[in-house]
Amino acid sequence: MGTETSELSSLLRGISRPRAKRPGDGRPEATPAGASNPQKPAPKPAKVRIVGDGLSSTSKGGVETFTSLAENKSLRVPQWLARGAIACVGEGETLTEIQRHAIPAAIEGRDLIAVAPTGSGKTLAFLVPSVAIAVRAKKGEKTKALKRRRSSGAGPSDGDGEDEVVAAGSNAVSKGPYAVLVSPTRELAAQTFRELRRLLSKTPKNKRLRALLLSNADSRLQDGGEDSGKREKVKRIRADIIVSTPPRLSQAIEAGLVRLSKTRMLILDEADKLFSDDKFLENVDAVMTACTHKRLRRCVYTATLPETAEELLRNVMQQPVRITVGERNAANSLVKQSLVFCGVEAEASKARGKGGKGTTYISGKLSAMRQLVTSGKLKPPVLVFVQSKDRATQLYEALRFDGMSIDVIHAGRTAKERARAVQNFRSGATWILITTDLMARGMDILGVNTVVNFDCPGVRSDYVHRVGRTGRAGHEGTCVTLYTEEDFGSLHMIASCMKISGSEAPEWMLKLPRKHGGQAKKYVPPKRKNIMDNVGQAGKKQKKGNSRK
Ligand SMILES: Nc1ncnc2c1ncn2[C@@H]1O[C@H](COP(=O)(O)OP(=O)(O)OP(=O)(O)O)[C@@H](O)[C@H]1O
């Protein structure tokens, strides 16, 4: 590995760290679309389709800026909220297509299915209406309580039994949550919460909302289930807006720590994932059942919506409006996608060199990966996707000796390790992050230049979301998919996805038979040999164990 190591390290050291996009957010900047090629025309505005009756002309026509959103009297968006949104995206930015139509639609009170490409600003498209509705609901509750108090001379309780624990006279205690935001992973929930806090940064002191991220670390959740009588009195989770993963939220509901009877806005981010993954279905069901308010809006947001998932969604929503931006289930057209054939996954053969002893391991993908780096085609920061925790650890072990600034994240690492890995990648301290599909959805790290599918994804939605970790907010990106003979089952899906999103796809791949019928549940990832260094180092290190696992 000698020469290769120094070559790689010097190459990576030689790349200067990109500028941060906005002061203080620590995110590196990617190339804006068209910047690398001034001849290239700006991308055409995406097609918007709205299906469902009853929306006002504001939602149908769209709203151009956050300021004009706040100026529309019927929507009742506070000025400070508009200023918060501007703080999130930067001065002078107009709304993206999905924001233009979905924000007024969600505020108007219809159940909503919003489908728009990765990196198109769906987060603000659900945060703005969530805050607007929470503000309205909280104000309504306060007025009701005040009226009751005036007429009866009683304390702050509204008589529904929920507020028995309210400390006398405390205005800080919320009767909410009025808005609940659900994301499939801890990382995405944390990111959404971060953006929510940024959005709330312009809230006047007397109107402050209490926002909360439910996490494992919350002692109330850790104690959940014990001594329930006492817990009811002292530990009820009080907040106006809650962000959570489905398991954490349903645990809190079951333990009586959270009540959703006042919730007016339920947001399901990455809804197709929440509705197609058995491990979430029960939790999501528990959350939806707990939301009993008669004016509840259920709003779902995603970049991919297979028909089966939409059918399920429609069963639990009330006459939803569907807003679709761009081509449904297509990858982001700002990302240049390509495929690299790597021969075999890994092969052990007798060494023929001096002495002819031992075994030499050849990994086609590993060599291809190294070649991409040394040739300068792999522009960091890079996200590398593999199919399992084991593969992530193996690849990390095989590459870390190359002196690259590299890290690994997967569900087997502790919450702290995962948070640190994301933070280091965001700040630019880590250039290459190896990951499972844990980072495939929703993660917004603006500077990501390249996505590598070290292992092919099996279903279209996974491919679309992985590709979408680059090419965000109008910037360009690159996605390289490495494949071997084991991956032939995924090639038709990838090639057709490349074609409809504007990348060149090999004709012969488009003629391959479709596998798995596009159904996530039928897909079983291929069994792969261990990722081995050419001296078998990955395997050896793994046996000894190490702190990264
Ligand atoms: N109106 C806007 N103008 C400019 N940038 C924006 C605007 N709205 C959002 N952004 C930025 O675009 C980036 C991507 O937004 P966001 O993460 O909401 O995308 P998304 O559609 O949710 O993507 P995904 O489907 O991958 O979850 C963010 O960095 C966000 O700050």
Side-chain angles (χ1 to χ4, degrees):
M1 228 176 344
T3 46
E4 203 169 50
T5 302
S6 55
E7 216 176 321
L8 286 175
S9 341
S10 58
L11 195 106
L12 286 163
R13 270 196 291 270
I15 299 164
S16 60
R17 206 164 129 198
R19 271 183 308 122
K21 185 180 173 24
R22 284 188 286 276
D25 72 0
R27 287 181 296 188
E29 193 175 26
T31 323
S36 54
N37 177 4
Q39 308 287 306
K40 199 171 165 181
K44 270 195 267 167
K47 195 164 71 180
V48 182
R49 277 156 293 154
I50 302 177
V51 182
D53 301 324
L55 279 184
S56 75
S57 55
T58 310
S59 302
K60 285 192 168 159
V63 176
E64 194 139 323
T65 62
F66 288 107
T67 314
S68 52
L69 188 71
E71 279 162 2
N72 186 311
K73 293 272 181 291
S74 64
L75 293 173
R76 293 195 282 151
V77 172
Q79 291 290 343
W80 57 261
L81 180 53
R83 285 199 298 275
I86 293 166
C88 289
V89 298
E91 199 68 52
E93 296 286 357
T94 52
L95 267 69
T96 62
E97 289 295 348
I98 192 64
Q99 291 165 351
R100 264 166 211 235
H101 302 278
I103 294 176
I107 293 176
E108 276 176 22
R110 293 291 299 269
D111 278 8
L112 175 69
I113 300 176
V115 188
T118 52
S120 63
K122 291 187 289 298
T123 312
L124 272 183
F126 63 72
L127 285 182
V128 171
S130 300
V131 174
I133 296 302
V135 170
R136 216 181 280 180
K138 188 172 184 170
K139 202 170 158 195
E141 287 295 325
K142 265 192 187 167
T143 319
K144 258 202 280 176
L146 209 72
K147 273 188 193 160
R148 255 196 307 269
R149 229 189 305 171
R150 270 197 207 132
S151 61
S152 69
S157 172
D158 64 4
D160 62 2
E162 273 195 52
D163 293 309
E164 265 117 54
V165 209
V166 176
S170 164
N171 291 327
V173 177
S174 168
K175 293 182 183 180
Y178 304 110
V180 170
L181 320 178
V182 181
S183 307
T185 62
R186 231 183 269 170
E187 284 71 17
L188 188 50
Q191 178 182 285
T192 301
F193 185 66
R194 218 174 70 129
E195 201 64 6
L196 173 61
R197 289 181 66 168
R198 216 197 295 240
L199 180 64
L200 294 176
S201 63
K202 306 287 178 197
T203 320
K205 262 194 187 151
N206 60 346
K207 301 216 162 94
R208 285 232 170 111
L209 292 172
R210 186 163 149 68
L212 187 90
L213 174 66
L214 276 191
S215 86
N216 265 347
D218 193 315
S219 58
R220 290 169 292 191
L221 280 177
Q222 284 171 2
D223 298 349
E226 292 162 24
D227 197 5
S228 61
K230 194 172 150 209
R231 192 190 58 241
E232 284 270 321
K233 287 213 166 79
V234 294
K235 291 185 177 172
R236 178 81 56 77
I237 293 172
R238 303 279 180 182
D240 300 309
I241 305 177
I242 282 184
V243 182
S244 179
T245 58
R248 217 48 63 234
L249 186 54
S250 79
Q251 185 191 355
I253 294 168
E254 202 182 319
L257 295 169
V258 168
R259 284 193 188 165
L260 305 187
S261 55
K262 304 268 185 206
T263 302
R264 306 271 187 92
M265 176 69 100
L266 174 65
I267 301 287
L268 301 175
D269 189 17
E270 308 294 346
D272 58 321
K273 177 75 179 168
L274 298 179
F275 279 80
S276 65
D277 197 324
D278 288 343
K279 79 173 186 254
F280 292 132
L281 266 180
E282 216 175 291
N283 303 141
V284 174
D285 189 35
V287 172
M288 295 192 100
T289 311
C291 293
T292 50
H293 199 281
K294 60 179 186 302
R295 282 163 68 192
L296 171 77
R297 300 153 168 81
R298 303 159 197 86
C299 300
V300 304
Y301 293 74
T302 182
T304 49
L305 190 59
E307 269 156 32
T308 42
E310 183 167 354
E311 249 175 65
L312 264 179
L313 279 174
R314 285 185 179 275
N315 287 334
V316 293
M317 299 177 88
Q318 279 175 14
Q319 297 178 317
V321 170
R322 172 154 57 76
I323 301 177
T324 314
V325 177
E327 212 54 64
R328 198 164 145 162
N329 299 325
N332 185 335
S333 57
L334 290 173
V335 183
K336 192 168 169 243
Q337 303 155 65
S338 61
L339 287 143
V340 175
F341 181 56
C342 304
V344 286
E345 176 72 37
E347 195 170 83
S349 64
K350 287 281 174 210
R352 288 193 206 122
K354 276 187 209 164
K357 276 190 214 153
T359 306
T360 302
Y361 290 94
I362 305 155
S363 167
K365 285 184 179 174
L366 198 55
S367 320
M369 180 84 190
R370 289 197 169 116
Q371 235 166 35
L372 284 172
V373 179
T374 47
S375 66
K377 285 185 189 153
L378 204 71
K379 216 171 139 201
V382 185
L383 260 181
V384 183
F385 287 97
V386 289
Q387 74 185 32
S388 66
K389 289 188 268 184
D390 287 347
R391 302 261 305 161
T393 311
Q394 288 164 18
L395 184 59
Y396 171 74
E397 292 299 344
L399 288 177
R400 77 184 178 126
F401 299 104
D402 289 338
M404 298 186 219
S405 154
I406 187 167
D407 205 350
V408 59
I409 185 168
H410 53 68
R413 297 194 73 189
T414 63
K416 250 191 190 160
E417 286 173 330
R418 279 163 63 167
R420 199 180 322 122
V422 174
Q423 177 49 34
N424 286 343
F425 193 55
R426 257 187 216 289
S427 70
T430 302
W431 283 106
I432 298 181
L433 184 60
I434 299 167
T435 179
T436 54
D437 277 313
L438 183 86
M439 292 283 285
R441 280 182 180 253
M443 294 309 290
D444 179 52
I445 299 170
L446 264 191
V448 173
N449 274 312
T450 318
V451 165
V452 176
N453 287 315
F454 192 87
D455 292 336
C456 287
V459 289
R460 191 183 188 102
S461 55
D462 287 348
Y463 180 73
V464 170
H465 286 277
R466 285 182 183 187
V467 169
R469 290 323 95 207
T470 182
R472 301 182 70 74
H475 293 97
E476 287 180 338
T478 309
C479 173
V480 183
T481 300
L482 308 182
Y483 70 100
T484 61
E485 283 165 8
E486 281 98 342
D487 296 304
F488 269 53
S490 300
L491 291 184
H492 174 89
M493 172 272 289
I494 294 176
S496 67
C497 206
M498 285 168 72
K499 192 172 176 190
I500 62 163
S501 49
S503 287
E504 264 176 50
E507 276 305 314
W508 67 268
M509 280 190 197
L510 294 165
K511 288 181 190 145
L512 287 172
R514 285 183 64 185
K515 292 273 169 77
H516 329 301
Q519 301 295 313
K521 284 190 180 155
K522 286 186 195 158
Y523 176 70
V524 180
K527 281 207 171 101
R528 302 182 194 268
K529 288 180 180 159
N530 280 357
I531 301 167
M532 293 287 189
D533 200 350
N534 56 6
V535 288
Q537 245 161 350
K540 278 184 203 161
K541 288 278 164 192
Q542 251 203 317
K543 273 179 207 148
K544 281 187 203 159
N546 65 69
S547 60
R548 291 282 176 182
K549 280 187 209 167

